[in-house]
């Protein structure tokens, strides 16, 4: 063996050792540098004493002792490293990843600023937030979600056909929100304000999955994204609430009442910018923080199952029919949405190959009890909807949603049962849920586009 | 003879600060120096030294800087600060108290005799 190949081999060994060290979370690249220098010092000395590079390396590594012990000692000094930290702009990692995350952050800042500016832009045309609440109510999603979609599409290097589709769909949303002559107190206005954000959120989903929109896995990623985004957004909103509270009271103490600033500037701009920031956070932290939505799901699935079962028992015990008043359908729609959410987010975190467990059975119980309650409600309501109230846009939308969710959950229950009996793989359920996403989009667009003319703009 | 772990840990800070007071140095050299000074009796591990250096840095007793040596190789040098010197003086006072007291005790034992029963030179 020549000295040259010996050196090369040594370099390769150092490289390997380094990779091994960097797998430890307690040891950062700078520690690896420092330890490598130490190891090299030790190796040099051993070579000078007459060992071959190979032998010297082995002895030096052996002297350093086990990496377990080493990282334990490091962890004692650097306990903060055991908490996964969200590094917003690199520091650790390669320079390439560093510049990438930096560029991401700038793109996010631009998009968030764009969103904040766009919600104030209509004021130039005399549409004030205080006076034209209806305009802002049906359009607010249009000030935030396109910017989030821009950020996501930019990050994924979306191609032209996709960009054109996104532009077309957001344009369609803008037309739907503003073209119909809806009065301020019309029912359809409320419906549009609720359904347009849903429709546009799924357009954001299109930007999220980019080229792979047919892939079930990518769609599942979007479902995960949605859950995390929502949680981040709520946290940001809470922080914003605390900020406004302090702002209000501190300025109040010196005799200035910043109410107009808070309600006209801080809240609307903060809300739309927050939507973009939340999206960026989810993208940036993907592998840093454990997803929280599945954790919440684990916590609440047993509790909701218990509550629903208790409700069913109470209905059977008292033989008291469900009192179907005006809000009942909406309440039970929300219940189904919660159950669907619990189902979705436990699917999103489940290893498809893991065997069936108690939790799967619990979930089946949850879905079946929700279905049973919903069927009771529907039976009670169908009789009255035709003769007593007649069809209004609200009721038609609520009923449609109920049926869509019912169909989804019924088939999900069937798939879950088959999975628990080991007749079908878990992925069947996953594919069913991701395949169902376009149905929600379709329904939301129908409500936004067709309901106002169908119900003659009431 | 092996020095007990607790004693090693307790004496580590003043030793490192003392070595750094001589001039800036880096991990491997510090370890060599300790080895030399103790005649090979103090067997420090890397797991003891590097976290300790990082702690001294965090507490402001030492400052570090990366310097490149021999091509691409980078080495982290540590230099003692004024605060570190003050700490060293304080630790030295405490250690002097402890060793003085111990010496008195050893001496007293020696006068009474039983210490002679303990073989000296158990090092070998």
């Amino acid at each position: 063996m020549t000295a040259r190949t010996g050196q090369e081999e040594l370099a390769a060994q150092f490289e390997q050792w380094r990779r091994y060290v960097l797998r430890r979370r307690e040891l950062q690249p700078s520690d690896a540098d420092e330890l490598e220098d130490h190891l090299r010092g030790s190796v040099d000395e051993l070579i000078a004493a007459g060992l071959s590079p190979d032998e010297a390396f082995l002895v030096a590594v052996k002297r350093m002792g086990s990496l377990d012990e080493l990282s334990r000692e490091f962890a004692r000094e650097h306990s903060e490293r055991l908490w996964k930290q969200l590094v917003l702009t690199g520091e650790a990692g390669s320079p390439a990843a560093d510049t990438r995350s930096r560029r991401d952050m700038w793109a996010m800042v631009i998009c968030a600023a764009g969103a904040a500016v766009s919600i104030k832009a209509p004021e130039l045309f005399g549409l004030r937030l205080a006076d034209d609440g209806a305009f802002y109510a049906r359009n607010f999603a249009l000030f935030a979600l396109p910017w989030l979609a821009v950020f996501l599409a930019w990050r994924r290097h979306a191609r032209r056909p996709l960009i054109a589709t996104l532009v077309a769909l957001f344009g369609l949303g803008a037309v739907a929100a503003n073209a119909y002559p809806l009065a301020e107190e019309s029912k359809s206005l409320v419906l549009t304000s609720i359904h347009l954000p849903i429709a546009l959120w799924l357009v954001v989903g299109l930007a999220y999955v980019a080229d792979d929109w047919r892939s079930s896995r990518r769609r599942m990623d979007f479902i995960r994204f949605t859950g995390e985004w929502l949680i981040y957004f709520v946290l940001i909103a809470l922080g914003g609430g605390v900020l406004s509270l302090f702002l209000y009271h501190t300025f109040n103490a010196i005799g200035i009442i910043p109410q107009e600033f808070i309600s006209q500037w801080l809240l609307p701009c903060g809300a739309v910018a927050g939507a973009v920031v939340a999206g960026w956070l989810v993208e940036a932290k993907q592998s840093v923080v454990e997803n929280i939505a599945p954790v919440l799901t684990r916590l609440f699935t047993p509790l909701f199952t218990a509550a629903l079962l208790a409700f069913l028992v109470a209905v059977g015990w008292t033989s008291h029919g469900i009192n179907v008043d005006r809000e009942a359908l909406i309440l039970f729609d929300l219940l189904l949405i919660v159950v669907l959410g619990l189902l979705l987010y436990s699917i999103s975190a489940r290893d498809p190959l893991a065997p069936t467990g108690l939790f799967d059975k619990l979930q089946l119980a949850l879905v079946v009890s929700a279905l049973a309650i919903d069927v009771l409600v529907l039976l009670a309501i169908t009789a009255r909807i035709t003769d007593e109230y007649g069809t209004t846009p609200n009721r038609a939308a609520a009923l449609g949603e109920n049926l869509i969710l019912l169909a989804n959950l019924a088939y999900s229950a069937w798939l879950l049962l088959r999975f628990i009996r080991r007749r079908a793989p878990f992925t069947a359920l996953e594919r069913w849920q991701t395949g169902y996403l376009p149905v929600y989009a379709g329904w939301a667009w129908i409500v936004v586009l067709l309901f106002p003319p169908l119900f003659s703009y009431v | 003879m092996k020095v007990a772990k607790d004693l090693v840990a307790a004496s580590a800070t003043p030793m490192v600060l003392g070595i750094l007071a001589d001039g800036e140095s880096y991990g491997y050299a510090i370890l060599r120096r300790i080895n030399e000074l103790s005649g090979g009796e103090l067997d420090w591990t890397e797991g003891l030294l590097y976290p300790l250096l990082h702690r001294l840095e965090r507490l402001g007793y030492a400052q570090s800087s990366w310097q490149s040596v021999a091509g691409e190789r980078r080495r982290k040098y540590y230099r003692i600060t004024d605060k570190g010197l003050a700490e060293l003086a304080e630790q030295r006072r405490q250690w002097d108290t402890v060793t003085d007291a111990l010496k008195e005790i050893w001496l007293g034992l020696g006068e009474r005799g039983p210490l002679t029963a303990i073989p000296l030179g158990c090092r070998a």
Side-chain angles (χ1 to χ4, degrees):
Chain A
M1 189 168 64
T2 63
R4 204 182 143 65
T5 56
Q7 284 303 320
E8 276 169 15
E9 208 166 294
L10 199 58
Q13 274 169 324
F14 271 116
E15 191 49 45
Q16 200 177 8
W17 176 84
R18 213 186 140 78
R19 272 206 299 272
Y20 191 60
V21 167
L22 284 179
R23 252 184 267 157
R24 306 277 172 152
R25 211 193 302 151
E26 300 90 338
L27 301 173
Q28 289 184 345
S30 66
D31 301 327
D33 284 347
E34 200 172 17
L35 289 171
E36 187 182 328
D37 180 53
H38 185 101
L39 200 61
R40 281 180 191 274
S42 187
V43 167
D44 287 350
E45 196 180 288
L46 288 164
I47 291 176
L51 264 61
S52 76
D54 255 24
E55 289 166 333
F57 183 81
L58 279 178
V59 173
V61 168
K62 184 94 184 148
R63 271 192 196 165
M64 194 172 265
S66 89
L67 212 50
D68 279 339
E69 210 167 298
L70 195 66
S71 25
R72 214 171 17 250
E73 294 294 332
F74 268 84
R76 241 189 252 176
E77 165 63 15
H78 301 283
S79 58
E80 80 284 354
R81 288 184 192 162
L82 294 176
W83 298 83
K84 289 188 177 179
Q85 299 295 349
L86 172 56
V87 183
L88 293 182
T89 49
E91 276 184 58
S94 64
D98 193 18
T99 46
R100 197 193 141 98
S101 60
R102 212 171 285 275
R103 280 176 49 203
D104 272 2
M105 199 181 73
W106 281 112
M108 175 277 289
V109 169
I110 291 167
C111 288
V117 169
S118 70
I119 199 166
K120 296 307 284 184
E123 287 208 358
L124 296 177
F125 305 98
L127 286 157
R128 286 181 44 79
L129 190 56
D131 315 324
D132 299 280
F135 170 79
Y136 286 94
R138 56 182 196 258
N139 280 301
F140 75 92
L142 281 164
F143 296 121
L145 299 184
W147 293 99
L148 180 57
V150 166
F151 172 68
L152 291 171
W154 173 81
R155 209 166 175 267
R156 281 160 180 60
H157 308 288
R159 279 184 291 192
R160 271 172 199 196
L162 176 67
I163 294 173
T165 316
L166 293 176
V167 170
L169 285 172
F170 280 118
L172 184 65
V175 170
N178 298 301
Y180 295 130
L182 295 176
E184 186 136 350
E185 62 280 1
S186 87
K187 298 266 163 46
S188 297
L189 182 69
V190 178
L191 281 182
T192 302
S193 309
I194 295 170
H195 288 83
L196 188 62
I198 296 172
L200 294 181
W201 182 255
L202 288 155
V203 178
V204 170
L206 208 55
Y208 183 88
V209 298
D211 295 334
D212 252 357
W213 63 277
R214 265 181 245 263
S215 147
S216 168
R217 290 180 165 269
R218 292 298 290 150
R219 288 187 191 185
M220 202 36 137
D221 283 339
F222 175 63
I223 291 172
R224 293 187 184 103
F225 174 84
T226 305
E228 298 301 303
W229 180 87
L230 196 67
I231 288 165
Y232 274 73
F233 188 73
V234 168
L235 291 178
I236 292 174
L238 283 176
V242 173
L243 176 70
S244 343
L245 215 66
F246 271 105
L247 214 57
Y248 183 81
H249 286 288
T250 45
F251 272 85
N252 212 0
I254 56 168
I256 302 169
I257 296 181
Q259 192 172 8
E260 176 157 327
F261 170 75
I262 290 174
S263 64
Q264 305 294 312
W265 290 89
L266 188 67
L267 289 186
C269 293
V272 290
V276 178
V277 176
W280 167 73
L281 274 177
V282 179
E283 289 276 283
K285 62 105 218 157
Q286 226 162 35
S287 58
V288 184
V289 185
E290 190 140 330
N291 288 344
I292 193 73
V295 179
L296 292 179
T297 314
R298 282 265 153 174
L299 248 135
F300 280 102
T301 298
L303 298 177
F304 266 96
T305 312
L308 295 192
L309 285 176
F311 178 71
L312 274 178
V313 169
V315 169
W317 190 265
T318 58
S319 59
H320 194 293
I322 299 171
N323 183 17
V324 195
D325 59 11
R326 293 170 60 87
E327 309 302 326
L329 251 182
I330 293 167
L331 174 71
F332 285 96
D333 276 358
L334 289 176
L335 177 70
L336 289 190
I337 289 174
V338 168
V339 170
L340 180 66
L342 289 174
L343 184 68
L344 267 182
Y345 286 100
S346 61
I347 292 175
S348 79
R350 195 183 193 288
D351 175 9
L353 299 178
T356 52
L358 180 67
F359 195 77
D360 299 300
K361 288 173 188 149
L362 201 62
Q363 214 146 39
L364 182 62
L366 173 73
V367 174
V368 169
S369 46
L371 284 176
I373 292 172
D374 199 57
V375 168
L376 288 180
V377 174
L378 280 181
L379 287 179
I381 217 159
T382 36
R384 302 178 68 169
I385 208 167
T386 40
D387 46 60
E388 251 179 72
Y389 303 137
T391 34
T392 67
N394 271 347
R395 223 158 279 137
L399 192 64
E401 263 128 50
N402 204 302
L403 291 176
I404 285 174
L405 293 168
L406 194 67
N408 179 325
L409 286 177
Y411 196 65
S412 297
W414 169 244
L415 288 173
L416 254 178
L417 183 68
R418 275 170 61 87
F419 171 64
I420 287 170
R421 291 178 152 191
R422 303 203 174 80
R423 300 269 168 76
F426 189 76
T427 40
L429 183 55
E430 197 177 306
R431 268 205 301 277
W432 164 249
Q433 290 298 343
T434 54
Y436 213 76
L437 287 180
V439 177
Y440 306 128
W443 178 253
W445 281 112
I446 286 173
V447 173
V448 170
L449 290 172
L450 301 183
F451 269 42
L454 270 181
F455 291 95
S456 43
Y457 309 110
V458 288
Chain B
M1 183 195 72
K2 276 266 182 262
V3 178
K5 229 180 152 184
D6 287 347
L7 198 52
V8 171
S11 57
T13 306
M15 281 194 194
V16 171
L17 284 176
I19 289 170
L20 290 180
D22 253 1
E24 67 171 2
S25 188
Y26 57 97
Y28 188 67
I30 294 173
L31 215 62
R32 300 283 321 156
R33 185 97 182 94
I34 300 274
N35 212 306
E36 250 170 61
L37 288 169
S38 67
E41 295 297 345
L42 279 176
D43 194 15
W44 282 21
T45 60
E46 288 81 351
L48 169 69
L49 176 65
Y50 289 102
L52 172 63
L53 285 170
H54 295 177
R55 191 168 77 240
L56 295 180
E57 197 182 348
R58 175 165 58 83
L59 295 173
Y61 299 155
Q63 276 177 344
S64 72
S65 58
W66 288 94
Q67 296 173 19
S68 55
V69 283
E72 286 182 27
R73 204 160 138 190
R74 296 196 313 148
R75 184 171 286 164
K76 198 175 181 185
Y77 280 90
Y78 293 86
R79 194 162 47 77
I80 197 163
T81 60
D82 291 343
K83 204 175 165 196
L85 285 171
E87 173 68 15
L88 178 61
E90 167 65 22
Q91 292 241 356
R92 193 166 165 185
R93 238 171 25 81
Q94 294 181 12
W95 275 97
D96 282 346
T97 313
V98 172
T99 48
D100 285 351
L102 278 173
K103 268 187 210 150
E104 291 290 321
I105 295 170
W106 300 157
L107 222 63
L109 285 176
E111 276 165 10
R112 250 175 278 153
L115 197 67
T116 47
I118 299 170
L120 295 166
C122 55
R123 264 185 188 190

